[in-house]
Amino acid sequence: MFNGLRNQTVFLGWWILWGCLHFWLLRSLDWDTPIALTESVVSTVLLSLFSFSLSFTMKYYRPTDIKVLYLILWAAILSLAWTYITRLVVFSLGNKAYNLFFDLTLPLRLITGLLVMSSFISILYVFFGQLSRQEQLKIKSDTEKLAKETELSALRDQLQPHFLFNTLNSIHALIISHPEQAQKMIIQLSDFLRFNLKTESNSFITFREELEHLSLYLDIEKIRFGHRLKVIIETADTTQDKKLPSLILQPLIENAIKYGLYDVLDDVQITLSSKIENGMLQIMITNPYDPEGRKGRKGTGFGQTSVRRRLFLLFGRQDLFKTEVSGNLYKVTLQLPQA
């Protein structure tokens, strides 16, 4: 409670005020200045020290229910100790008249000490109770944040092996027939993985940076599929500096290639476009769609599921990811809130 400068100032100021009032009260009763000053200083210093000791007790021991009586008992003991020590100091001054006055007001002093200690205990009880709740909320928040970051990292890590295995298989196939393309593909794969490693799962990057990363992935896929794969990116200039979760487009483009290209022999065009709508970055990905061909190729749906989950973890909304089929086209729409 007394770690902060503000709390220390309040504590010190309160007891200085208490000592001044004590001194003023004794002087108003016509007691000499040395006696009034001695008792007010001794009494105030003892009360402040005992109150300070209570703060350490309450910091590590905050009982509930009937055990609160232990604190009341402790306050009573401190009140007795405060009165007894003050009496010893005052009596050492040798003023018989004041000694008699002190003994006559002894019950009042004991009650005053008990009330002060009890009040201080109540204040400390509330203060440390709130502090404890704040610490529990912080621990809960940190735990939830850690769990969220762990899940985000796990989602991204699960996406990488699928793409990596496909790329390695393609490199294996190219090593003998087209060694130069295999070498180029290895370099591009290295650049792609290097970008992934330096980017955190829960970080946000600009749309421009995300497209640069996506181009590394597309360069690899274009080597695999050659002229058959055509990707058109149509983005508005106003979207380039907008923020979005890192590495969120690659699994969607991978899905578009998988379901748009694998089951056909003709050239395939995949389109990625962007615009600002209702203050959000809207990204649309469109690929050819063959319902009959897709029936024979049932995926796990992990790519889209992972993107949905990431968006929910980052924004707490379920309506940011939509899919729709229009004729022979499959369209995915992302709505990305901007801070």
Side-chain angles (χ1 to χ4, degrees):
M1 180 177 181
F2 303 107
N3 292 336
L5 178 61
R6 178 176 177 273
N7 291 339
Q8 292 172 355
T9 303
V10 171
F11 182 80
L12 182 62
W14 161 254
W15 288 115
I16 290 175
L17 178 62
W18 177 273
C20 291
L21 289 174
H22 195 157
F23 176 77
W24 172 81
L25 179 61
L26 293 177
R27 288 292 294 129
S28 65
L29 294 175
D30 293 330
W31 292 108
D32 294 340
T33 297
I35 293 178
L37 183 62
T38 299
E39 182 182 340
S40 61
V41 170
V42 172
S43 173
T44 302
V45 170
L46 287 175
L47 268 181
S48 63
L49 290 176
F50 288 159
S51 299
F52 190 73
S53 69
L54 277 174
S55 69
F56 284 98
T57 302
M58 294 292 294
K59 183 176 182 180
Y60 301 105
Y61 178 68
R62 293 186 294 277
T64 57
D65 303 329
I66 192 66
K67 292 183 179 180
V68 173
L69 293 175
Y70 296 160
L71 290 178
I72 297 176
L73 178 61
W74 179 233
I77 293 173
L78 290 178
S79 178
L80 286 170
W82 166 66
T83 306
Y84 178 73
I85 297 174
T86 304
R87 184 177 185 275
L88 287 178
V89 174
V90 170
F91 274 47
S92 66
L93 298 177
N95 190 315
K96 295 182 179 180
Y98 192 78
N99 294 348
L100 179 61
F101 166 76
F102 192 97
D103 285 342
L104 289 174
T105 57
L106 194 60
L108 180 61
R109 295 171 184 275
L110 290 171
I111 294 173
T112 300
L114 183 60
L115 288 175
V116 170
M117 295 299 173
S118 300
S119 299
F120 205 76
I121 286 175
S122 299
I123 294 172
L124 290 171
Y125 197 88
V126 173
F127 176 83
F128 285 116
Q130 290 180 341
L131 191 63
S132 177
R133 283 190 291 273
Q134 290 175 358
E135 290 174 351
Q136 291 173 359
L137 289 174
K138 186 177 184 303
I139 291 173
K140 181 181 178 181
S141 176
D142 290 344
T143 302
E144 291 176 348
K145 182 180 178 181
L146 179 61
K148 182 187 293 185
E149 291 176 350
T150 301
E151 184 175 354
L152 286 169
S153 179
L155 286 171
R156 193 183 72 172
D157 291 344
Q158 289 178 58
L159 283 169
Q160 305 238 0
H162 179 265
F163 163 71
L164 183 58
F165 293 151
N166 287 341
T167 304
L168 291 175
N169 286 333
S170 298
I171 292 173
H172 178 264
L174 291 171
I175 286 176
I176 297 176
S177 60
H178 299 86
E180 291 183 359
Q181 287 188 347
Q183 184 179 11
K184 182 179 179 182
M185 203 170 184
I186 290 173
I187 294 173
Q188 290 171 333
L189 177 61
S190 174
D191 292 338
F192 177 84
L193 294 178
R194 186 179 296 110
F195 185 96
N196 281 24
L197 288 173
K198 72 179 183 179
T199 307
E200 298 180 1
S201 299
N202 62 338
S203 66
F204 284 75
I205 59 177
T206 64
F207 186 39
R208 180 184 289 104
E209 291 172 322
E210 180 74 358
L211 290 178
E212 290 174 358
H213 169 259
L214 191 61
S215 68
L216 295 175
Y217 166 75
L218 290 173
D219 288 342
I220 295 172
E221 293 295 71
K222 287 175 181 177
I223 293 177
R224 291 178 63 197
F225 298 105
H227 65 84
R228 291 181 57 215
L229 175 60
K230 184 177 182 181
V231 180
I232 297 178
I233 298 178
E234 302 172 336
T235 61
D237 292 338
T238 55
T239 64
Q240 293 296 304
D241 294 323
K242 299 300 180 182
K243 297 288 187 177
L244 75 167
S246 63
L247 312 178
I248 202 165
L249 296 182
Q250 184 260 324
L252 299 178
I253 294 293
E254 186 174 352
N255 265 11
I257 293 173
K258 176 180 178 181
Y259 293 108
L261 194 70
Y262 283 13
D263 293 315
V264 298
L265 297 177
D266 298 330
D267 295 352
V268 169
Q269 177 175 299
I270 295 172
T271 303
L272 184 152
S273 59
S274 67
K275 63 180 180 179
I276 302 297
E277 186 171 283
N278 298 325
M280 293 197 290
L281 172 63
Q282 185 180 92
I283 300 174
M284 292 76 69
I285 299 173
T286 306
N287 62 271
Y289 178 77
D290 182 4
E292 296 301 323
R294 191 164 185 174
K295 288 180 181 178
R297 181 181 292 277
K298 292 184 178 180
T300 62
F302 177 73
Q304 291 190 1
T305 301
S306 68
V307 171
R308 289 181 188 272
R309 185 60 180 165
R310 281 188 69 190
L311 291 175
F312 175 74
L313 290 172
L314 292 169
F315 299 107
R317 293 176 57 175
Q318 299 278 15
D319 61 338
L320 301 178
F321 184 94
K322 297 179 181 179
T323 62
E324 62 178 297
V325 177
S326 177
N328 64 343
L329 292 178
Y330 188 85
K331 183 178 180 181
V332 173
T333 303
L334 293 181
Q335 298 278 357
L336 300 166
Q338 300 298 301

